[in-house]
Amino acid sequence: MHPSSCGHQHQVHGPYKNRRSTQNPHFPAPRLGQAKHPQPLAEMSLTFVIVSILALASGANAVISGNYNCTTYNGTAFVYTPAAVACSNVISDASCQVLYAAPNTLYPASGNDAERAYACYTTATATPAATVNDMVTAAISTCPKTCGFCCQTSAYSCSNVAYPRLDCNTITAAQCASSVWRTIIAAECPAACGFCNDGGCVDGVVGCANDISICNTIGLETFVATYCQRTCGKCASSTTTASSASSSTCTSYNADSSSSCTAWAKNGFCTNTFYTTAVRKSYCATTCKLC
């Protein structure tokens, strides 16, 4: 007769001796790799919070920080102005993107808040970072558009006239290229379109310089005088303007009340009949030679 049938306790020998089984025969043991216990709710919540904080931290780096040139505050965040990216890079765009790799894949554009490449303004590799003027100068001289620094270039960094006939802040890129608007903008809002180096005189249309032979072509005299003034040398000379402005018999003049008179005079302020003599005299009597 088998020992177990006689009421004797079954003896276990070997490595499993004295091990007591707690396994319920109706519920099989978990398979290898299967979790025995669900993740506690508190632990899951903590993980979610940590991930959320990291996501917010990484998103915060996407906003403009460190250097706010050519930006404006829109009520929520600092964003780039249209003038920040209105120019062209001096070297190729592809080269600029290698030299100034965007920290968050996005580059400055009108109205966005993409972080500038750090090399555009600092020698640091993370924010917060102090502006290094040499880095800014290098960026402006090579890749001003990629770095969002167009408004710092000489073509965009002059003063507009004191009382323009149009709102300089609302001028669009289309107006800058329009034959209807270009000459007016050059005289009164040069900083809006990058006309600061043109002395108030620009071609009425884009492209005159592509073929300067038109300046002497018979039959195009009227067109050239109207639309290609700068390329073909049809602008009113500065000497004529100066002589007409200084034709008065005054021997002394009131001091200028504005420090921008020299720039305004280059843009035609002294001779622009839109401004009354009283207005011109109140601001720039000495520069405009007004008694």
Side-chain angles (χ1 to χ4, degrees), residues 3 8-14 17-18:
H8 298 288
Q9 186 176 6
H10 181 67
Q11 298 295 318
V12 179
H13 302 279
K17 183 178 181 181
N18 299 325

Side-chain angles (χ1 to χ4, degrees), residues 98-189:
V98 172
L99 292 173
Y100 299 101
N104 294 288
T105 70
L106 293 177
Y107 284 91
S110 178
N112 82 2
D113 62 351
E115 173 66 286
R116 285 186 173 98
Y118 301 132
C120 290
Y121 67 94
T122 186
T123 54
T125 56
T127 56
T131 295
V132 178
N133 290 333
D134 285 347
M135 299 298 285
V136 174
T137 300
I140 292 173
S141 65
T142 54
C143 303
K145 183 174 184 178
T146 296
C147 288
F149 281 147
C150 287
C151 79
Q152 298 290 292
T153 62
S154 61
Y156 288 86
S157 58
C158 63
S159 299
N160 297 317
V161 297
Y163 300 101
R165 287 172 288 178
L166 63 166
D167 186 348
C168 298
N169 296 318
T170 63
I171 293 174
T172 65
Q175 286 177 288
C176 292
S178 168
S179 60
V180 176
W181 290 104
R182 282 173 61 83
T183 54
I184 298 173
I185 293 171
E188 302 187 21
C189 302

